[in-house]
Amino acid sequence: MAESSITYTNPDYPVPTYRFVLDIDGDGKTDATFGNVSGLNITHQTIEYKDGMGGWYQMPGQVDGTNVTLRKGLIPKGSPLFDWISTITLNTVEKKDCTITLTNEDGTETFIQWTLTGVFPVSVTSPNLKDGSTGEATIDEVSLLAKSVDVKFS
């Protein structure tokens, strides 16, 4: 029977963790950090065209809006996130251009930056106080609706 050799990673080496930084108003300040983001999709509608000769064509149409979900977040003291959410009233909402940046665990190195245009919050789930002394709050989930998404690799 052949022996198999398994190589293990050094257990003292830390597993890299990443964080997603949300900037709501474009001022370059961290308005929230999250551990998980989904829905950063860029999709186009499909237009079908049939000519009189039996030809059938498909072409890209307009860009679809996208639902972005940010999970496991930390909201720093003075963040405009909750103020922005509270501005939503019937048929009126303040749409903003936001950025979501994937950084290393310290926030010192940027890997990817997504720019979302025409964004407004759709829902917030479970805001809980983390520590009354720091004024920070944890949040389970924030859902945003964006008109378009642009990606920039660093």
Side-chain angles (χ1 to χ4, degrees), residues 42-150:
I42 301 172
T43 57
H44 293 266
Q45 296 174 353
T46 304
I47 299 172
E48 294 183 4
Y49 174 73
K50 295 179 183 178
D51 64 17
M53 302 297 291
W56 177 61
Y57 306 96
Q58 291 180 317
M59 302 179 72
Q62 295 181 351
V63 177
D64 282 335
T66 185
N67 287 315
V68 178
T69 304
L70 302 110
R71 292 183 185 89
K72 298 180 183 174
L74 180 65
I75 313 298
K77 185 176 183 178
S79 173
L81 180 63
F82 289 110
D83 292 336
W84 184 32
I85 292 167
S86 66
T87 63
I88 297 174
T89 59
L90 186 62
N91 295 330
T92 59
V93 66
E94 184 180 356
K95 294 182 180 180
K96 298 186 178 203
D97 295 341
C98 301
T99 59
I100 297 173
T101 307
L102 174 62
T103 67
N104 61 354
E105 62 187 15
D106 299 329
T108 56
E109 186 179 355
T110 299
F111 300 120
I112 305 173
Q113 184 176 47
W114 293 269
T115 303
L116 290 74
T117 57
V119 181
F120 62 93
V122 177
S123 69
V124 178
T125 306
S126 288
N128 299 313
L129 288 178
K130 178 184 178 200
D131 183 0
S133 64
T134 63
E136 295 178 328
T138 59
I139 195 162
D140 285 342
E141 185 174 286
V142 175
S143 294
L144 305 173
L145 181 62
K147 180 180 176 183
S148 65
V149 177
D150 185 38

